[in-house]
Amino acid sequence: MSSVTVEPLLRYHRRTEVSGLRKVANSCYSSSSLNCSRQKLFHRGKCKLRLRRRPAAPVVIRASSSSSSNTALAETFESSGDVFFRHSFPVTRTETVEGKIFVRIDQENGKGNWHLTVGCSLPGKWILHWGVSYVNDIGSEWDQPPKHMRPSGSVPVKNYAIETPLKKASGDDSFYEVKIDIDPKSAIAAINFVLKDQETGAWYQHKGRDFKVPLVDYLLEDGTVFGANSFNIWPGPFFSNILLKPETQDHTQEPNNVKKEDRKVEGIYEEQPIAKHTAIENSVTVSVRRCPETSKNLLYLETDLPEVVVHWGVCRDAAKNWEIPPGPHPPETVIFKEKALRTLLQAKEDGRGCSGLFTLDEGLAGFLFVLKLNDNTWLKCKGNDFYVPLSSSSSLLAQFTQEHSKDSPVSVKALDQNQGSDTAFTNEIIKEIRNLVSGISSDNSRKVKTKEAQESILQEIEKLAAEAYSIFRSSIPTFKEEVVYEEELEKSPPKKSSGTGSGYEIVLQGFNWESHKSGRWYMELKEKAEDIASLGFTVVWLPPPTESVSPEGYMPKDLYNLNSRYGNIYELKELVGKLHESGLKVLGDAVLNHRCAQYQNQNGIWNIFGGRLNWDDRAVVADDPHFQGRGNKSSGDNFHAAPNIDHSQDFVRKDIKEWMCWLREEIGYDGWRLDFVRGFWGGYVKDYMDATSPYFAVGEYWDSLSYTYGEMDHNQDAHRQRIIDWINATTGSAGAFDVTTKGVLHEALERCEYWRLADEKGKPPGVVGWWPSRAVTFVENHDTGSTQGHWRFPGGKEMQGYAYILTHPGTPAVFFDHIYSSNYRSEIAALIAFRNRHKIHCRSVVEISKAARDVYAAIIDKKIAVKIGPGHFEPPNGPRKWSPALEGRDYKIWESS
């Protein structure tokens, strides 16, 4: 269920007037007046245009008397023939509920340890995304807190934040809160946080900025303030109820010495308003009966929704093509763009909803409609138009019954206002643009044309074009995976694409978090090239190559400077050449979301870049409070440790594409691993993929899974949907690491809950269950494992993880340490050889045979079977005979013969 609110880009109003009235005779309707005109008014800011249009304006039919009540409609319907159709459609809409976020710092009974409590008065699955700032630390305003501060259920996010679920407050079920212990003697200056609603994926900040709670105030003689006064987070004093207790000061210092006034927080309590969209369940009931007097169909529509407009039409066959039926039409009806009708339903006498009665000719196949709640919100039925059969034919009614046997709530989404077709609506916009252009070009004969008027018209053209593009973008189809078996692949080899490679790729991550320390990593890896190829890998992922503030490479500065801690540009070229000689493809690690500046602006903020790409602060997003960018708002989540790059800027995209193309040609990269793609829209990634034509590309979309009171939810659809949405935004030109599958494997193996490895529909629960060809599965990487260990795989169970990802669809990625720094090398090599021998590929088909407490088992492509877990499973012998092929601790694999 989703609710999308979109501010309309195109507003226009038509009001129609004629001097005469025309009566419409029908037993169901009173006489109505018709108002017509051919004028159209178009308003936008200061620009007010009156454009003449040839098409006829909409016809408005209004009741001449308010006596046409809802009761009369219902009585008319009930007195006319037998009902041959009645159905209730469940609908869900969103409503804004207001509450509050509160922050409190206090001591238990005024003594002992200090606690920071963050809470929310609205129900939901709330997550506190938080970090700390240290005294005198100007390198980063977000760092992870020490482990003793982290409440139970906390999950680290990369190396700069923690996510902690809020729980119901004791004694008050209406509040959700989390408590964090604070050591008053620590060097922590402030706690930073934002609140995340896991149900909707929404993030809550204060006026677009992080919440910050100051813990200590340091005042230097030169006026520089660190602590509460220095953060300058809100336009006014946000935490107005801060109580600061000054400690003993030394007044004997010399004037030139720094005086330090150390004031500790005595207590804080503050509230801030919060608004959340919640789902409201309603229904729409439609009944149809044949009028014996006129042989027409009478359709009665009623709903418990408040005031609503029905956008409707009829169809004559199963194609369900919209058309306007002949009159008479109900009161309060307007003809919309000669494609549909709109009728305002009449309020019920008891005030509980509204209804309408529609008279329809015989011979029509169906009644089509959607519901308009306001200019921005429409209701559809399972993503399609509502459809009501208008024939008592048993076949039509049976088909409808089959389609709606398990009605689910309809989705609420922003729609373009022409149900006929997106193409027709964009054509209307194109006409508007042409009219406006002609308003400039055809005015040559006029001597007076102010510059302001021309600019105003050009702004209108720009906005209309943006609207047309948004409709085009929303019409891009969601990709659906096709089931492809080996026999079909042999007949027609799969087409290579940047999202899948050949479909048979196996990736090795060619480094860990410590690889930079030798200073000659490129040369060390070069010596392993032939060994890597002999193990069956097809792709090697290399670390970020650019100059970087951090030695690992993920805080890049000068993008064209390829002298890094891993080696210099010449050594990198040697390595890539050797990998190519060994038959391996090479992925470059491209950090596109953020970039470290080399210079400060006039305010002392690091947001001016150097090197060949000497961008200024226009390249930094405007809603990152730490770096004072002058670009547009971010299209994703902000990474707090460095300036977030604004990819909506034409000059930024142009420079990035040139740089990536240079890397392809100069270094020889075959594809990309894209860092922190949560930070910018996937559509920009498509632009970069189109420009560089990679062999293979994968993005890191690392997001927190869904938890309830510290325990992982079984249903992780919302989590994997966010990854799918990003992949879809790239139009499938890049895959994504299957973080969902890794998280579910963690929980299943660590808690012996192997039932988690099947979703509610009996499919794999990660991205690999929905879009396997774009899922890059993994057990560990440099962030989750290595010496960072942010999300380490359950110890001793790594081979169960590899038995899963190397037998299942998707593109498996193996961590360097598990080949060269563990005892798993021979087992992993055997699994890779087995996968290659049986030609398991990214689109292979999984049939889950068992998902119980202590065992998971599946058959892949009808030719191999795998079980993981301590429980028992044997594949059934029937037409296929199964024989054991590989076995290890708590996993076993069979092949059919």
Side-chain angles (χ1 to χ4, degrees):
M1 196 61 54
S2 64
S3 174
V4 182
T5 304
V6 178
E7 180 69 18
L9 295 174
L10 180 63
R11 294 191 182 95
Y12 49 83
H13 309 281
R14 292 177 178 146
R15 182 161 183 82
T16 58
E17 298 176 0
V18 292
S19 57
L21 296 177
R22 179 167 63 92
K23 286 188 177 181
V24 181
N26 186 276
S27 60
C28 298
Y29 303 125
S30 60
S31 61
S32 304
S33 63
L34 304 182
N35 296 327
C36 305
S37 172
R38 294 190 180 182
Q39 284 191 334
K40 172 182 172 185
L41 290 179
F42 183 89
H43 300 273
R44 172 94 63 174
K46 296 181 180 179
C47 179
K48 184 175 181 180
L49 306 175
R50 185 181 300 271
L51 303 176
R52 295 284 180 180
R53 299 176 57 87
R54 291 183 179 178
V59 178
V60 180
I61 306 171
R62 302 193 181 278
S64 60
S65 170
S66 60
S67 62
S68 299
S69 66
N70 183 273
T71 303
L73 294 179
E75 290 175 352
T76 301
F77 179 78
E78 293 299 330
S79 64
S80 304
D82 296 325
V83 173
F84 66 82
F85 174 89
R86 186 190 299 273
H87 185 78
S88 291
F89 299 90
V91 296
T92 301
R93 60 189 173 90
T94 58
E95 193 170 271
T96 301
V97 179
E98 295 182 349
K100 61 184 178 181
I101 296 174
F102 70 86
V103 179
R104 182 175 65 245
I105 293 182
D106 58 8
Q107 291 176 295
E108 293 182 3
N109 301 320
K111 299 178 181 180
N113 294 331
W114 288 85
H115 302 287
L116 166 67
T117 305
V118 179
C120 180
S121 64
L122 296 178
K125 293 182 180 179
W126 295 101
I127 297 290
L128 188 73
H129 181 94
W130 63 288
V132 300
S133 299
Y134 289 97
V135 174
N136 295 331
D137 182 4
I138 60 174
S140 171
E141 294 204 17
W142 276 71
D143 285 300
Q144 285 188 346
K147 291 185 178 180
H148 65 80
M149 281 186 69
R150 306 176 189 180
S152 62
S154 296
V155 177
V157 178
K158 288 232 167 178
N159 59 352
Y160 70 91
I162 294 291
E163 292 197 341
T164 305
L166 275 65
K167 300 179 180 180
K168 286 186 178 180
S170 56
D172 190 349
D173 288 345
S174 63
F175 274 84
Y176 295 76
E177 65 179 22
V178 62
K179 288 187 177 181
I180 298 170
D181 291 334
I182 299 173
D183 181 1
K185 297 180 181 180
S186 73
I188 295 175
I191 293 177
N192 321 300
F193 72 89
V194 293
L195 205 59
K196 179 181 178 182
D197 180 4
Q198 264 197 312
E199 292 178 341
T200 63
W203 294 78
Y204 293 87
Q205 297 175 291
H206 184 272
K207 298 182 180 178
R209 299 181 178 184
D210 304 335
F211 291 96
K212 286 184 182 282
V213 182
L215 302 181
V216 63
D217 199 25
Y218 284 90
L219 179 63
L220 303 184
E221 185 180 20
D222 63 0
T224 305
V225 182
F226 296 91
N229 297 331
S230 69
F231 294 117
N232 192 25
I233 298 307
W234 300 281
F238 167 57
F239 288 116
S240 56
N241 297 333
I242 299 177
L243 303 176
L244 295 173
K245 182 179 180 180
E247 298 189 353
T248 304
Q249 303 174 35
D250 182 4
H251 297 284
T252 64
Q253 296 177 350
E254 294 297 325
N256 292 332
N257 293 339
V258 174
K259 293 186 297 186
K260 182 166 120 176
E261 182 186 357
D262 198 350
R263 296 181 289 166
K264 297 293 182 180
V265 173
E266 191 174 88
I268 289 179
Y269 183 83
E270 190 66 48
E271 295 179 354
Q272 284 291 308
I274 185 174
K276 177 183 176 181
H277 299 298
T278 58
I280 307 295
E281 301 295 332
N282 295 100
S283 66
V284 177
T285 300
V286 181
S287 306
V288 185
R289 65 168 75 233
R290 182 65 54 81
C291 178
E293 299 177 1
T294 63
S295 297
K296 293 190 176 187
N297 290 316
L298 299 182
L299 183 146
Y300 183 64
L301 187 152
E302 60 179 334
T303 176
D304 56 351
L305 288 162
E307 182 176 299
V308 65
V309 172
V310 181
H311 181 98
W312 63 282
V314 296
C315 62
R316 297 188 179 276
D317 50 40
K320 298 180 182 178
N321 293 321
W322 282 60
E323 62 178 75
I324 296 176
H329 302 137
E332 299 296 332
T333 295
V334 60
I335 298 176
F336 181 76
K337 294 193 175 182
E338 301 178 359
K339 296 180 179 298
L341 297 167
R342 287 183 177 176
T343 299
L344 175 65
L345 296 183
Q346 300 179 34
K348 294 182 178 180
E349 285 188 341
D350 58 7
R352 298 178 180 178
C354 49
S355 66
L357 183 63
F358 302 79
T359 301
L360 305 165
D361 289 346
E362 60 180 337
L364 297 172
F367 178 83
L368 301 160
F369 71 97
V370 292
L371 301 176
K372 178 185 177 185
L373 298 187
N374 53 52
D375 285 340
N376 304 319
T377 308
W378 298 66
L379 301 183
K380 298 185 79 176
C381 180
K382 302 178 183 178
N384 300 310
D385 305 331
F386 289 95
Y387 171 75
V388 176
L390 294 178
S391 170
S392 56
S393 164
S394 58
S395 60
L396 286 175
L397 293 177
Q399 179 184 357
F400 178 90
T401 302
Q402 182 179 3
E403 292 174 352
H404 294 268
S405 58
K406 293 182 179 180
D407 256 328
S408 59
V410 303
S411 60
V412 183
K413 57 193 298 186
L415 305 172
D416 70 80
Q417 299 186 13
N418 173 16
Q419 281 306 121
S421 71
D422 286 339
T423 303
F425 192 45
T426 51
N427 286 341
E428 282 289 318
I429 295 174
I430 291 168
K431 288 179 183 177
E432 296 291 347
I433 294 173
R434 285 174 178 164
N435 286 341
L436 290 168
V437 171
S438 65
I440 297 175
S441 60
S442 66
D443 252 357
N444 293 331
S445 58
R446 296 187 186 179
K447 301 296 181 183
V448 180
K449 188 74 174 179
T450 66
K451 182 179 179 182
E452 290 78 8
Q454 289 187 4
E455 287 180 351
S456 196
I457 293 175
L458 289 171
Q459 287 173 6
E460 294 303 326
I461 293 173
E462 197 173 272
K463 291 171 183 175
L464 288 166
E467 183 175 14
Y469 177 67
S470 70
I471 295 169
F472 161 75
R473 235 177 59 190
S474 66
S475 66
I476 295 174
T478 299
F479 288 81
K480 294 184 179 179
E481 203 65 58
E482 295 181 359
V483 176
V484 183
Y485 290 101
E486 183 188 350
E487 310 88 74
E488 300 173 27
L489 287 171
E490 290 174 349
K491 294 176 185 176
S492 176
K495 181 181 177 182
K496 291 182 175 66
S497 80
S498 57
T500 63
S502 68
Y504 294 94
E505 309 304 339
I506 303 175
V507 180
L508 173 69
Q509 179 175 0
F511 63 100
N512 62 28
W513 194 247
E514 305 296 320
S515 297
H516 65 90
K517 289 187 174 179
S518 70
R520 56 183 306 274
W521 183 250
Y522 292 151
M523 294 296 96
E524 292 177 21
L525 194 61
K526 176 186 171 183
E527 297 169 2
K528 294 179 171 63
E530 293 181 2
D531 182 54
I532 293 169
S534 70
L535 292 172
F537 291 103
T538 63
V539 177
V540 178
W541 156 23
L542 297 185
T546 57
E547 176 195 17
S548 170
V549 171
S550 63
E552 298 83 12
Y554 288 100
M555 300 284 280
K557 287 177 66 178
D558 182 355
L559 299 186
Y560 278 92
N561 183 349
L562 300 191
N563 297 318
S564 72
R565 299 291 182 89
Y566 299 100
N568 60 42
I569 184 173
Y570 305 106
E571 292 170 336
L572 176 57
K573 287 182 178 181
E574 278 189 54
L575 168 60
V576 172
K578 182 62 177 179
L579 292 170
H580 284 165
E581 286 177 18
S582 304
L584 296 162
K585 301 292 185 182
V586 182
L587 302 185
D589 201 326
V591 183
L592 305 180
N593 174 75
H594 52 273
R595 182 183 170 196
C596 292
Q598 288 165 284
Y599 308 103
Q600 295 171 290
N601 68 1
Q602 64 273 18
N603 299 323
I605 302 298
W606 293 89
N607 60 13
I608 307 298
F609 303 92
R612 184 166 162 182
L613 303 183
N614 54 347
W615 301 332
D616 59 16
D617 51 6
R618 292 173 301 157
V620 180
V621 297
D623 51 349
D624 183 346
H626 310 302
F627 297 102
Q628 296 183 4
R630 290 194 296 124
N632 297 312
K633 287 188 176 181
S634 175
S635 57
D637 296 334
N638 279 334
F639 178 76
H640 297 287
N644 289 256
I645 300 304
D646 179 11
H647 292 263
S648 71
Q649 301 282 9
D650 290 340
F651 74 90
V652 168
R653 292 199 308 279
K654 175 180 177 293
D655 286 347
I656 288 178
K657 286 185 283 190
E658 287 180 358
W659 173 67
M660 295 179 77
C661 288
W662 176 77
L663 288 175
R664 287 272 277 139
E665 296 170 7
E666 184 72 17
I667 306 303
Y669 287 134
D670 301 292
W672 311 109
R673 181 267 185 185
L674 304 169
D675 184 63
F676 199 77
V677 295
R678 268 177 55 192
F680 55 103
W681 178 47
Y684 299 131
V685 172
K686 180 189 184 306
D687 195 14
Y688 302 143
M689 297 305 100
D690 290 346
T692 59
S693 303
Y695 174 82
F696 183 77
V698 56
E700 180 210 28
Y701 195 101
W702 186 355
D703 195 8
S704 297
L705 280 78
S706 300
Y707 291 82
T708 301
Y709 304 130
E711 182 174 335
M712 183 183 288
D713 297 340
H714 178 217
N715 187 331
Q716 294 295 332
D717 287 355
H719 182 265
R720 58 176 164 176
Q721 184 64 58
R722 291 192 290 275
I723 301 175
I724 292 285
D725 288 345
W726 179 84
I727 300 172
N728 199 45
T730 75
T731 64
S733 60
F737 288 108
D738 193 348
V739 180
T740 316
T741 290
K742 175 175 168 65
V744 174
L745 281 169
H746 271 241
E747 203 80 354
L749 275 57
E750 194 165 38
R751 299 166 64 99
C752 197
E753 295 176 347
Y754 290 83
W755 49 267
R756 292 180 177 274
L757 292 172
D759 67 12
E760 294 170 352
K761 295 183 179 179
K763 301 292 184 183
V767 177
V768 76
W770 279 0
W771 201 349
S773 70
R774 299 308 193 272
V776 177
T777 52
F778 68 108
V779 169
E780 209 78 283
N781 64 29
H782 62 292
D783 282 324
T784 65
S786 193
T787 54
Q788 287 203 96
H790 287 322
W791 195 23
R792 202 177 297 281
F793 204 80
K797 301 180 186 294
E798 290 88 351
M799 282 312 304
Q800 288 186 64
Y802 281 117
Y804 182 92
I805 71 171
L806 286 167
T807 58
H808 280 58
T811 299
V814 178
F815 185 41
F816 182 87
D817 289 6
H818 292 160
I819 295 294
Y820 291 104
S821 302
S822 73
N823 298 322
Y824 301 142
R825 175 189 168 101
S826 60
E827 286 185 86
I828 293 173
L831 284 168
I832 292 173
F834 183 82
R835 181 183 181 91
N836 288 334
R837 184 170 73 250
H838 288 280
K839 297 183 179 178
I840 303 302
H841 52 86
C842 67
R843 295 183 179 87
S844 288
V845 179
V846 178
E847 300 172 28
I848 296 177
S849 303
K850 190 174 183 179
R853 181 187 63 81
D854 59 353
V855 66
Y856 164 85
I859 295 173
I860 296 89
D861 283 352
K862 303 179 181 179
K863 54 189 176 184
I864 72 168
V866 59
K867 81 98 180 176
I868 61 173
H872 176 74
F873 172 80
E874 292 284 338
N877 280 317
R880 291 189 296 270
K881 302 297 181 182
W882 297 96
S883 55
L886 295 172
E887 189 170 357
R889 181 182 174 185
D890 289 337
Y891 74 89
K892 189 172 183 179
I893 300 171
W894 297 260
E895 55 191 350
S896 65
S897 56

